[in-house]
Amino acid sequence: MRWYSRRFSRTVCLWLAFISVTLHLLLVALSPFVYQSSCKPPTSRQTHPYTLRALAYTNDTSTGSDSHASHANQAKMHHKITKMDATKMSTEIGNGPSSPVNMGDRIGRSGSMGSGLSKLDALFSHPLYDVPTLPIPEEDWLMRIKPKVTSGRSTQMWVSDPEIDYDPAHWNSTSDSQPPWLRFHLGISRRQLYPHRDPNMPSLIQQLSKHRIVSAVQKSGGTQLKLVMSFPNYGQAMLKPMKQERDEESNFNLYYFSDFERHNAEIAAFHLDRVLGYRRIPPAVGRLVDVVKEIKDITTDHRLAKTFFTSPVGNVCFYGQCSYYCSTEHAVCGRPHELEASLAVMLPDPSLAKRHSWRSPWRRSYSRSKVAAWETDSQYCDTVKKTAPYDKGTRLVDLIDLTILDFLMGNMDRHHYETFEKFGNNTFLLHLDNGRAFGRHSKDEPSILAPLEQCCRIRRSTLSRLRLLSLPQYRLSDVMRESLSHDPLFSVAPLLSEPHLLALDRRLNVVLQTVRDCQRRQRSRRGEGSDVIYDDINDYKKSVTPVTPAG
């Protein structure tokens, strides 16, 4: 019996060994088919490549560090991830290949493809636009509310005297009590007229397009007809009337200084300035104005009032008094009462915020027979760069930003620009008076780009955004078309015709090619093309990056 048990145990062990060997052989036989079959990764929500890099950096820096340093690094990188690390992305865009097609995989496509966001929303959500901001020092605000001392007590309240047609004003230092135009004025800083995500913008646009008009007078100065419109909350706006149909091009036989000022050009210039990320043009909106009820019946300007008449077909017209096109032959007429116009919010009165007017070094001669010095001297920029205020700071690249804006919209009428005196030379340029833009779509004017071509200098942030706008998912013409569709006058007709929108894309490519030519020339002269780009992104990155304590 004992012998039989030992024999049975030996048999079981042999069978188990046989089965084990068989299974191993089977796995070896099937393994080639397993390794050669295609593997598809599981579908998951796409993670932004720059977020992955930041996460990888977090893991790398935390390895081998003590607990305190590890948590500090992770907290720092978490801040960068949530802010999309815009400076790193834009630096790569600025240094990348010049061909927009080659940049498609390098630039984040968040929101532009399949996310439900429109192209405009995706653009404004892009890290090149939606960047973290520094706290603004008190001295960098243009205007602040000063406490008013009464009977030994301090108060911050405006109380207006009652006036006919005006609302009583009871404003204090809280923004909820202030009208939109005042919030706009108080939001102007050394860096820009308004922030990227401005919560006041919808209210301001609503005021310009819908609020009741209580006064209309002609603005003094200037070459063409402009009116100052007042609202019941004491806000004011500059009105430019419709002079030309949207699809009508400027007369090729006219000189640039004889061209009409167009209402839709002022509106489109505001939108383009915002799309470029400048924010240096006061908000402008389109509006249908009743010529009789909102101008003729309420004006206290006798010079303006006596120019009203009724046309042979029953339209109410007026022409005002100015240097150009203020006559019965060039009258502004309603249809029969309704008149298309642009209304741009007024900047603070010069008595409160003085502005300095600067003659542009690339000002045209404004003569039919003479040419300016920059038109014949290819080394003209060398002289400019030795002259204040272009010899230091950012004034030169500020002016080139304005040059690019003017070239994109075909504006040859840039003889002066302005800055706020309070900020000295270290501030942005005001991009005012754009009525002669968008006159011709069939012809580009390369001479407008002379400052860029002669100086070969451009901000990295500007170049990065221009390259972004050249990509299909952020195409300039598409985002401008969408942006302009939000204007009230879009219900009447698009603010810019399709040929004007397509001209934006064409001119954008010209700007980018000009920068490439500059870099090529710099490399041939000095062996590298880095002098072309003013690296404002890295300078800004240094200012916003917190210093981590040692140890």
Side-chain angles (χ1 to χ4, degrees):
M1 197 63 185
R2 189 181 302 166
W3 171 82
Y4 179 80
S5 293
R6 286 199 299 269
R7 186 176 179 181
F8 179 79
S9 299
R10 190 182 304 121
T11 303
V12 171
C13 290
L14 288 173
W15 272 106
L16 290 174
F18 176 77
I19 291 172
S20 177
V21 172
T22 303
L23 290 174
H24 278 82
L25 291 174
L26 184 61
L27 289 174
V28 172
L30 292 176
S31 60
F33 298 97
V34 174
Y35 288 123
Q36 290 175 9
S37 62
S38 61
C39 293
K40 294 183 179 180
T43 58
S44 61
R45 186 175 61 181
Q46 185 178 3
T47 305
H48 201 285
Y50 294 91
T51 305
L52 291 175
R53 287 187 202 174
L55 288 170
Y57 181 79
T58 305
N59 294 333
D60 180 64
T61 54
S62 61
T63 304
S65 304
D66 59 48
S67 176
H68 177 76
S70 174
H71 287 300
N73 284 329
Q74 289 181 8
K76 179 179 176 181
M77 290 314 301
H78 175 72
H79 174 75
K80 289 187 176 182
I81 292 168
T82 54
K83 296 298 185 180
M84 298 298 289
D85 200 4
T87 52
K88 181 176 178 64
M89 291 184 64
S90 50
T91 302
E92 292 204 12
I93 294 172
N95 289 329
S98 56
S99 172
V101 177
N102 294 333
M103 294 173 58
D105 295 332
R106 293 162 53 82
I107 299 178
R109 301 188 181 201
S110 59
S112 60
M113 304 293 285
S115 69
L117 289 179
S118 67
K119 285 189 176 183
L120 182 65
D121 290 337
L123 179 75
F124 286 158
S125 298
H126 193 279
L128 284 174
Y129 289 79
D130 201 8
V131 298
T133 57
L134 287 169
I136 299 177
E138 190 69 20
E139 63 271 16
D140 283 358
W141 292 107
L142 180 65
M143 300 174 64
R144 294 285 85 184
I145 300 173
K146 292 184 178 180
K148 179 182 178 181
V149 179
T150 305
S151 301
R153 292 186 302 172
S154 176
T155 178
Q156 290 184 333
M157 174 78 74
W158 284 279
V159 180
S160 68
D161 294 328
E163 293 185 40
I164 298 175
D165 295 327
Y166 286 88
D167 298 334
H170 298 282
W171 313 327
N172 55 40
S173 58
T174 61
S175 60
D176 292 341
S177 70
Q178 300 160 3
W181 65 267
L182 180 57
R183 293 199 296 268
F184 168 70
H185 287 180
L186 294 174
I188 299 173
S189 70
R190 182 187 295 273
R191 305 171 191 167
Q192 57 197 4
L193 282 176
Y194 55 92
H196 172 56
R197 302 283 189 183
D198 186 4
N200 183 50
M201 189 61 68
S203 300
L204 185 60
I205 296 298
Q206 174 76 6
Q207 171 184 302
L208 294 173
S209 60
K210 297 293 184 182
H211 280 205
R212 182 168 57 94
I213 297 172
V214 298
S215 173
V217 296
Q218 187 168 343
K219 186 180 185 302
S220 59
T223 59
Q224 298 192 33
L225 178 64
K226 294 183 282 286
L227 304 181
V228 176
M229 317 298 282
S230 299
F231 301 106
N233 62 5
Y234 296 89
Q236 290 186 320
M238 176 85 71
L239 179 145
K240 289 191 178 182
M242 181 177 183
K243 284 274 192 178
Q244 197 171 334
E245 297 293 336
R246 290 167 174 72
D247 56 354
E248 184 180 353
E249 281 200 282
S250 296
N251 190 331
F252 284 88
N253 293 313
L254 288 179
Y255 283 93
Y256 51 87
F257 49 83
S258 300
D259 195 9
F260 285 120
E261 290 189 354
R262 287 165 284 275
H263 74 301
N264 61 319
E266 291 287 356
I267 303 166
F270 159 65
H271 285 262
L272 180 59
D273 176 87
R274 184 165 165 254
V275 163
L276 293 175
Y278 293 161
R279 297 184 291 278
R280 301 165 196 168
I281 292 180
V285 65
R287 176 167 176 162
L288 286 174
V289 177
D290 190 309
V291 175
V292 176
K293 294 180 180 179
E294 296 181 309
I295 301 179
K296 182 175 182 289
D297 289 351
I298 63 174
T299 186
T300 56
D301 188 333
H302 300 294
R303 296 180 307 156
L304 176 64
K306 67 182 182 181
T307 66
F308 279 85
F309 66 94
T310 302
S311 74
V313 295
N315 293 332
V316 179
C317 307
F318 66 100
Y319 53 87
Q321 295 182 9
C322 60
S323 303
Y324 290 94
Y325 306 123
C326 282
S327 63
T328 53
E329 293 80 12
H330 300 99
V332 174
C333 298
R335 297 179 180 176
H337 291 177
E338 281 190 338
L339 171 68
E340 282 191 34
S342 67
L343 272 78
V345 63
M346 298 282 282
L347 293 173
D349 190 272
S351 63
L352 299 174
K354 292 182 180 179
R355 301 197 298 268
H356 185 87
S357 180
W358 303 82
R359 181 186 172 114
S360 172
W362 281 271
R363 181 184 186 273
R364 297 178 184 276
S365 65
Y366 286 81
S367 168
R368 295 178 178 85
S369 56
K370 298 178 181 179
V371 295
W374 59 267
E375 297 182 80
T376 57
D377 183 3
S378 60
Q379 305 300 316
Y380 180 79
C381 186
D382 293 339
T383 304
V384 174
K385 288 191 288 189
K386 297 175 184 177
T387 307
Y390 308 97
D391 56 343
K392 57 185 177 182
T394 62
R395 180 59 62 89
L396 183 60
V397 289
D398 289 335
L399 185 60
I400 289 175
D401 279 350
L402 178 55
T403 293
I404 292 170
L405 173 72
D406 282 336
F407 177 74
L408 290 175
M409 58 187 185
N411 181 25
M412 301 173 66
D413 186 34
R414 186 69 68 186
H415 44 84
H416 287 78
Y417 62 86
E418 295 184 22
T419 59
F420 289 110
E421 280 193 4
K422 176 182 178 179
F423 302 134
N425 293 337
N426 184 23
T427 187
F428 66 95
L429 313 186
L430 290 163
H431 300 172
L432 305 177
D433 200 9
N434 304 288
R436 285 186 171 137
F438 295 104
R440 297 175 186 168
H441 53 72
S442 58
K443 182 181 182 298
D444 302 338
E445 183 51 57
S447 64
I448 301 176
L449 275 183
L452 174 61
E453 188 174 6
Q454 293 176 0
C455 298
C456 280
R457 195 75 167 146
I458 187 173
R459 271 190 170 92
R460 184 179 296 281
S461 59
T462 299
L463 179 58
S464 299
R465 288 192 293 266
L466 292 176
R467 285 174 169 168
L468 188 69
L469 290 165
S470 70
L471 298 176
Q473 60 267 37
Y474 302 105
R475 185 176 287 112
L476 178 56
S477 59
D478 291 340
V479 296
M480 273 294 290
R481 185 184 298 107
E482 182 184 345
S483 184
L484 289 169
S485 70
H486 299 304
D487 188 88
L489 282 185
F490 180 78
S491 60
V492 178
L495 270 297
L496 287 181
S497 64
E498 277 302 306
H500 276 298
L501 291 170
L502 297 178
L504 288 172
D505 295 330
R506 183 180 69 241
R507 292 166 183 167
L508 175 58
N509 288 330
V510 173
V511 174
L512 293 175
Q513 184 59 51
T514 302
V515 175
R516 290 194 289 268
D517 292 342
C518 283
Q519 291 176 313
R520 191 178 300 113
R521 289 200 301 270
Q522 289 281 17
R523 281 192 292 268
S524 64
R525 293 173 186 172
R526 305 178 187 179
E528 56 183 58
S530 60
D531 289 344
V532 174
I533 300 175
Y534 170 68
D535 199 352
D536 61 323
I537 290 180
N538 278 338
D539 290 345
Y540 182 78
K541 185 177 180 180
K542 292 176 184 177
S543 64
V544 300
T545 303
V547 178
T548 304

